Amino acid sequence: MSDVVIAMDTVLVRVLGPKTATAMADQLALHTVRDLLRHYPRRYARRGEMSKLDDLEVGDRVTVLAQVKSASTRPMRQRRGTLTEVTVGDGAGSMRLVFFTSKHAHLKVGEWGLFAGTVGKWQGALQFTHPDCHVITGDDDDWARALVPIYPASKDVSSWVIQRSVKLLLDDPHSLDAALDDPIPEPVRRRHGLITLARALVDKHRPETLEDVERADERLKWDEALVLQVTLAARRRAAALEPGIARPRRSGGLLDAVDSRLPFSLTEGQREVGDELAAELGREQPMNRLLQGEVGSGKTVVALRAMAQVVDAGGQAALLAPTEVLAAQHARSLTAILGPLGRAGELDGDPAGTRVTLLTGSQKAAARRTARAAAADGSAGIVVGTHALLQEGVEFADLGLVVVDEQHRFGVEQRDALRAKGTRPPHVLVMTATPIPRTVAMTVYGDLETSTLRQLPAGRGGVSSSVVPVGEKPAWLDRAWVRVREEVAAGRQAYVVCPRIGEEEGNANDGRGPDEGPDDADGAPPDEKGSSSDRRPPLAVLDVAEGLRAGPLSTLRVEVLHGRLPPEEKEARMRAFAAGEVDVLVATTVVEVGVDVPNATVMVVMDADRFGVSQLHQLRGRVARGAHAGLCLLVSEASSSSPTGQRLAAVAATTDGFELARLDLETRREGDVLGAAQSGRRSGVRLLSLLDDEALISEARVEATALVESDRGLADHPELAAAVAALATDERADWLEKA
Ligand code: ADP
Ligand code: MG
């Protein structure tokens, strides 16, 4: 390999054996030298660590660094074959390794090794059955290290194979120092006291001390933050350079008509934000604004007023919703508020008005054609839709404003796709009910300005929440159904939410419709967490509904709603529920976003632990919409002292969205938060913490803006430019996969 000149882009097959390289590519998505060097250890094994094994639970997958204390092989008593028993320890603790073969009879007392396996228990003591073993041999200086890196590994690529491969790269004389163009410009490094990339990589992969790791982390986090911030700064700059069209407020039009038709008066917050938007829409510089506001704070009206202003100024507005149910609901409520003004061109319509058109993927071809035509010829001033709006072939006569509802389901790329449908860049308003901590706003939404609706419209009952720990207090679940019956008897309605639809055995997409499915609530990487097959499958809508109809809710009208139903059917059932013809709606998370039935006052969330924090908060917002106090019951088998149980307790204890957003962030990987569509694994963020690195992110933002706006831009920083380009490509690829 010494005749290969290694660069960051060198593919691994040229450096490692083909078998290893292929397995790394297939199982860990590591293709180039850069990928491998940026595949950081998750932690470092140290001698003396086995005392911590007491904290482990059966089923955890771990790697331990230990010395062989005893080893014996004997024939098995009950069966044919040989049993090898090995005890390993590290001075602080010990555990048993068991092999039902003689393959590992070679393990010798005194040898050190890394042992990776799933923790089991036998006769009260911890043990590994058939662990992977890597004996550290004498010529291997790795064992002498105080800190042995433990990498995220896969089936065929163990932590030590990665360790050896990285070492090969770092030790090669031809390689890194020369090949490594540092993406962080020298003056930036100097200003912030950062070590070079080459140094940082050595310290991260082969540290002598934990201080080495810390210094390396600081530097490597800067890489991540700077690349992200440069991307955002470039986006802001590009947006600033391309003027849009001013859509100033005009009186006597649709907006005034909307205002006079509203059945309530605007809250102070709605009025203030409305003024802010009105002013920005009136400028040529395209508006790029994020509107945050708790569930029920009345964002839709704010958006409608902005859309009306744009229509009054001769433009069109598109409202992008994350689900079909929500898109249809928006279209319905906008049409209702506009009355005859929303039916221009129809018999009873007001010719001074406009038309509201719905465009979704599941519409019949003819309906879709009509909707597209109305968008293209401009007769529809307001087009409401789902992802279908983003498709090629959907055109607008003069798109002036894009409103994205419930932002967390859409990424930057989707916003850009819609933006591209205007002849000049349209104004953009993004709305979210998930409050966004400052650092997230600076990163994920770094190209947006922010407004917040802090106040709920007066007369809301609010919502109180409780955890129902069915594992410990099974009788409480009966109480929950009694509560549901009481509410229904008082004329109210209820939701029962389940994580799964059901009846999909053998169906590859595990039963989630396109719109639904809980977040991966705990971010633990798969190889250090118990196999999920130990858990029973999540409760399913169809099963739960059947159980309720046959049992505790047999006297009530129970209906189901989920993403696998045909759209007309979904619509019909939602409408029946809204009309009060259904008492209890058993549903998946299709009810999560925006669905508005003020008479619904109770929500029972089954297997609540399978949902993310923000998702639970969103869900319960459904029962805080009316004048009556809402109740949300979080049913879970998790013990109340477990981290999961405590997470649920925290959700129940607060309705402060910012507090919950923080909690959510803590339980999720940063990459999930930053990724293009929230699950993107390629955001390039591995070490950076949006919670803990606020100062670093702010500093990187300042440096990034200065770099991008300097005369030569990134021209003198090819490695940084390459990293930024790579991030953009990945985002785009991510988006294409999802579209
Ligand atoms: P969200 O911010 O969650 O999208 P919505 O816009 O759906 O909230 O509003 C929730 C409910 O509150 C709707 O039924 C809406 O008509 C009503 N609403 C909005 N603004 C006001 C207000 N100023 N006074 C009373 N009710 C309002
Ligand atoms: Mg809404």
Side-chain angles (χ1 to χ4, degrees):
M1 100 151 210
S2 51
D3 44 344
V4 179
V5 176
I6 303 179
M8 287 301 250
D9 288 321
T10 305
V11 286
L12 289 172
V13 256
R14 301 194 49 210
V15 196
L16 308 172
K19 208 169 124 236
T20 306
T22 308
M24 280 188 179
D26 292 348
Q27 295 173 12
L28 296 170
L30 305 176
H31 304 281
T32 63
V33 167
R34 179 185 289 105
D35 294 342
L36 181 54
L37 290 176
R38 298 276 186 184
H39 188 71
Y40 304 132
R42 167 172 303 127
R43 61 185 186 85
Y44 302 87
R46 288 199 283 183
R47 268 175 259 167
E49 219 176 30
M50 285 180 78
S51 57
K52 285 202 231 132
L53 286 181
D54 294 346
D55 302 339
L56 291 176
E57 292 188 29
V58 170
D60 287 347
R61 195 173 156 79
V62 293
T63 305
V64 298
L65 173 64
Q67 191 177 28
V68 178
K69 298 290 185 195
S70 70
S72 67
T73 298
R74 59 180 164 77
M76 274 187 277
R77 278 184 219 118
Q78 317 281 344
R79 296 190 260 160
R80 272 149 39 96
T82 322
L83 177 75
T84 304
E85 269 187 22
V86 177
T87 310
V88 299
D90 69 348
S94 67
M95 80 186 291
R96 228 166 67 106
L97 316 181
V98 183
F99 305 90
F100 296 105
T101 69
S102 56
K103 209 175 107 212
H104 287 276
H106 65 272
L107 287 174
K108 289 196 191 58
V109 173
E111 280 180 330
W112 281 85
L114 285 168
F115 305 95
T118 305
V119 177
K121 218 166 207 176
W122 194 74
Q123 293 186 344
L126 295 179
Q127 81 169 25
F128 278 159
T129 306
H130 283 233
D132 292 333
C133 306
H134 172 65
V135 173
I136 296 163
T137 52
D139 60 346
D140 197 339
D141 70 355
D142 291 331
W143 86 274
R145 303 187 152 277
L147 300 170
V148 176
I150 304 296
Y151 290 90
S154 70
K155 190 165 122 309
D156 300 319
V157 189
S158 64
S159 178
W160 42 89
V161 166
I162 298 171
Q163 182 184 349
R164 204 180 327 116
S165 308
V166 169
K167 180 169 180 241
L168 219 61
L169 294 177
L170 293 179
D171 284 354
D172 186 271
H174 287 298
S175 74
L176 293 170
D177 255 351
L180 272 186
D181 286 323
D182 199 319
I184 303 189
E186 205 270 329
V188 178
R189 288 205 309 269
R190 195 158 15 84
R191 273 197 287 281
H192 300 280
L194 304 174
I195 56 178
T196 62
L197 179 59
R199 180 76 248 153
L201 288 174
V202 170
D203 282 352
K204 183 69 181 166
H205 289 288
R206 307 177 59 73
E208 302 289 338
T209 65
L210 284 178
E211 286 76 60
D212 290 346
V213 179
E214 242 170 67
R215 247 180 347 151
D217 279 348
E218 175 80 4
R219 147 72 213 216
L220 296 171
K221 282 176 181 180
W222 256 91
D223 281 348
E224 298 175 1
L226 192 65
V227 169
L228 267 173
Q229 293 301 338
V230 166
T231 308
L232 294 167
R235 208 171 269 152
R236 280 196 302 273
R237 186 173 164 80
L241 290 178
E242 208 185 340
I245 299 173
R247 315 279 182 177
R249 175 154 191 181
R250 223 193 62 209
S251 55
L254 202 57
L255 178 50
D256 284 352
V258 167
D259 282 345
S260 66
R261 287 183 61 98
L262 283 181
F264 44 73
S265 51
L266 296 175
T267 64
E268 209 176 289
Q270 284 171 322
R271 205 165 305 131
E272 274 168 24
V273 173
D275 290 346
E276 200 168 31
L277 299 186
E280 278 187 59
L281 292 172
R283 292 188 205 121
E284 244 189 20
Q285 155 104 5
M287 174 177 89
N288 267 306
R289 193 161 276 280
L290 176 71
L291 173 57
Q292 315 187 42
E294 284 285 325
V295 172
S297 58
K299 297 183 291 293
T300 315
V301 176
V302 173
L304 172 60
R305 296 184 69 249
M307 293 193 282
Q309 173 171 338
V310 168
V311 172
D312 282 339
Q316 289 169 288
L319 171 56
L320 185 58
T323 67
E324 303 231 342
V325 170
L326 189 56
Q329 182 187 293
H330 274 316
R332 231 178 9 252
S333 58
L334 295 184
T335 310
I337 294 183
L338 291 172
L341 282 162
R343 295 194 295 269
E346 288 175 40
L347 263 177
D348 62 343
D350 183 335
T354 185
R355 260 162 66 195
V356 178
T357 294
L358 179 66
L359 182 66
T360 63
S362 61
Q363 277 173 323
K364 299 246 160 50
R368 209 158 49 211
R369 216 164 22 239
T370 313
R372 279 189 190 186
D377 68 17
S379 57
I382 297 178
V383 183
V384 183
T386 53
H387 279 91
L389 278 183
L390 304 171
Q391 279 160 6
E392 252 173 77
V394 176
E395 280 161 24
F396 292 84
D398 181 13
L399 184 59
L401 170 65
V402 172
V403 180
V404 181
D405 193 16
E406 306 298 351
Q407 157 73 10
H408 64 290
R409 304 268 182 119
F410 293 106
V412 161
E413 295 294 331
Q414 281 95 328
R415 249 154 54 206
D416 287 349
L418 249 187
R419 205 179 259 156
K421 294 191 184 290
T423 34
R424 304 257 291 277
H427 301 278
V428 176
L429 175 65
V430 173
M431 306 196 287
T432 176
T434 313
I436 294 170
R438 215 175 88 79
T439 37
V440 181
M442 271 193 309
T443 45
V444 189
Y445 309 98
D447 54 343
L448 300 176
E449 310 291 327
T450 312
S451 311
T452 307
L453 286 178
R454 298 192 185 280
Q455 186 188 15
L456 293 186
R460 289 295 163 73
V463 58
S464 64
S465 313
S466 310
V467 180
V468 179
V470 276
E472 293 149 29
K473 307 204 159 74
W476 286 21
L477 187 57
D478 302 334
R479 270 295 300 153
W481 303 129
V482 171
R483 285 290 291 135
V484 169
R485 290 204 302 268
E486 286 169 2
E487 287 294 310
V488 172
R492 312 272 101 79
Q493 291 162 280
Y495 296 103
V496 177
V497 180
C498 306
R500 193 165 64 95
I501 300 173
E503 259 178 23
E504 64 275 329
E505 271 59 56
N507 181 339
N509 82 359
D510 82 348
R512 297 173 182 191
D515 291 348
E516 55 212 337
D519 297 350
D520 182 3
D522 67 336
D527 62 340
E528 294 230 336
K529 131 176 122 174
S531 93
S532 56
S533 57
D534 302 351
R535 294 172 86 188
R536 67 159 168 74
L539 290 171
V541 166
L542 299 177
D543 304 339
V544 168
E546 197 180 298
L548 291 175
R549 280 182 185 130
L553 305 185
S554 59
T555 55
L556 308 186
R557 295 167 298 174
V558 176
E559 188 57 276
V560 304
L561 183 74
H562 56 75
R564 271 210 319 266
L565 292 168
E568 319 80 76
E569 190 56 36
K570 254 191 290 186
E571 266 292 306
R573 293 188 186 186
M574 211 41 239
R575 226 183 335 245
F577 186 64
E581 293 155 14
V582 169
D583 300 316
V584 179
L585 194 63
V586 185
T588 53
T589 52
V590 287
V591 301
E592 177 190 349
V593 259
V595 172
D596 192 11
V597 178
N599 193 47
T601 50
V602 200
M603 174 175 284
V604 182
V605 183
M606 307 303 289
D607 277 345
D609 47 286
R610 311 268 181 151
F611 297 92
V613 168
S614 297
Q615 212 171 9
L616 290 172
H617 185 53
Q618 289 269 331
L619 279 168
R620 71 178 163 190
R622 300 305 114 216
V623 291
R625 325 244 339 149
H628 306 281
L631 174 67
C632 176
L633 299 172
L634 306 171
V635 180
S636 167
E637 284 175 4
S639 88
S640 43
S641 60
S642 68
T644 306
Q646 289 176 359
R647 188 163 58 88
L648 291 178
V651 173
T654 178
T655 50
D656 178 340
F658 280 94
E659 175 76 31
L660 290 170
R662 223 184 136 76
L663 192 66
D664 197 25
L665 211 50
E666 273 167 18
T667 55
R668 242 189 348 202
R669 268 169 301 180
E670 308 292 333
D672 290 347
V673 179
L674 289 164
Q678 216 189 17
S679 60
R681 243 154 229 104
R682 315 188 219 178
S683 54
V685 170
R686 296 176 179 84
L687 299 173
L688 195 66
S689 160
L690 296 181
L691 278 178
D692 303 331
D693 298 318
E694 185 170 333
L696 191 158
I697 292 171
S698 301
E699 287 167 24
R701 185 179 168 90
V702 172
E703 294 287 0
T705 309
L707 274 168
V708 168
E709 303 201 333
S710 68
D711 291 344
R712 295 190 32 89
L714 296 187
D716 299 328
H717 311 290
E719 182 64 24
L720 181 57
V724 170
L727 179 64
T729 316
D730 283 352
E731 269 185 9
R732 199 151 296 132
D734 241 16
W735 173 62
L736 284 176
E737 270 167 27
K738 302 224 155 66

